[in-house]
Amino acid sequence: MLKFENIIARKPCKAMLEGISTGMFSDDKPVYEKAVDQHQEYVETIESLGVKALVLDALEEYPDSCFVEDPAVVMKECAIITNSPRESRNGEKYEIVPAIKKFYADEQIFHIAAPGTMEGGDVMLVEKHFYVGLSDRTNKEGARQFNEIVSKFGYTSSTIPVTEGLHLKDFVIYLENNNMLVSAKMNEVPEFHEFNRFVVPTEELYAINSLNINGTVLVPEGYSKTLEHIKSLGYPVIVVNTDEFKKIDGSLTCLSLRF
């Protein structure tokens, strides 16, 4: 099992009301005050599982900056600063570097460079293999550079087309122990057929993005079928409310970098 000792998170900013949204999960605008409370609960929940949190100040100039998973990909051996193709998000990569440098030496920090693009929401680790989603945010060149970097540390990677929504991990999540949560479309991907897959019902699609922290699975509030399935697999479960972040396509994994 992957063991996490630290997370990096960033407080939501008031500008999050103008965050990017596909409208897939909600047409509503976030309520900032509720988002602040939900974010604090999220951090405290992860800390209760034996993980130390570094919580960064809000960045008003970047509406989506609370989603710290996107400007970097972190692992034990190194950190990779990504390169978003969205102008409103690209500057976040510079803002995350000082936090990354608290944990990684300069020679452990790598960068995805143009014309490569990548956001961390498209990167899913399974044991020592990364599945990289090819999406509107992550392109083939970004995936190629990523593979070149991680291969230095004994990892492998492959690409998966993202044909629905924003990021790969909105539609497939690895829970450890060979278990996956998938959408109906991701269930058809041959690369995932070796796993024990649960096809999340369409009305509970948001619950795919659940998060295993040291053996306990965090599940978004309000998705009883997915919750009961995860319990049936034997995982301890904590329900966390991320409704305000859902309104701008944010979910449990988006809100932290874990290592």
Side-chain angles (χ1 to χ4, degrees), residues 25-45:
F25 299 118
S26 175
D27 292 326
D28 297 330
K29 290 279 189 182
V31 177
Y32 170 70
E33 292 77 12
K34 289 183 179 179
V36 170
D37 290 342
Q38 289 177 9
H39 190 269
Q40 182 174 343
E41 178 194 1
Y42 171 86
V43 170
E44 291 175 353
T45 298

Side-chain angles (χ1 to χ4, degrees), residues 10 20 56-68 70-72 81-100 111-112 118-119 137:
R10 186 181 294 281
I20 302 168
L56 308 176
D57 291 337
L59 289 173
E60 290 298 337
E61 58 268 46
Y62 298 108
D64 294 285
S65 55
C66 59
F67 302 133
V68 292
D70 289 324
I81 308 303
T82 61
N83 186 37
S84 175
R86 292 299 295 263
E87 185 177 350
S88 67
R89 299 213 63 187
N90 192 263
E92 293 175 35
K93 66 187 180 189
Y94 303 111
E95 301 290 346
I96 201 67
V97 169
I100 294 294
H111 298 261
I112 301 298
M118 173 172 279
E119 287 187 354
R137 304 295 178 86

Side-chain angles (χ1 to χ4, degrees), residues 233-253:
L233 294 172
Y235 296 103
V237 168
I238 300 176
V239 174
V240 181
N241 187 351
T242 52
D243 281 355
E244 298 309 313
F245 300 98
K246 178 173 67 174
K247 295 172 183 177
I248 50 173
D249 291 356
S251 47
L252 285 165
T253 69

Side-chain angles (χ1 to χ4, degrees), residues 203-204 207 219-225 227 239-241 243 246:
E203 69 274 14
E204 295 199 359
V219 183
E221 184 177 276
Y223 303 96
S224 58
K225 294 176 184 176
L227 177 66
V239 174
V240 181
N241 187 351
D243 281 355
K246 178 173 67 174

Side-chain angles (χ1 to χ4, degrees), residues 164-200:
E164 51 187 339
L166 188 59
H167 290 131
L168 179 70
K169 284 188 293 195
D170 292 329
F171 305 102
V172 54
I173 279 290
Y174 183 59
L175 291 177
E176 303 284 344
N177 312 111
N178 207 52
N179 296 312
M180 273 186 174
L181 305 178
V182 296
S183 68
K185 283 188 177 180
M186 284 297 172
N187 191 48
E188 298 171 0
V189 174
E191 290 90 337
F192 297 149
H193 286 178
E194 65 186 275
F195 298 99
N196 175 32
R197 305 177 312 284
F198 175 68
V199 181
V200 173

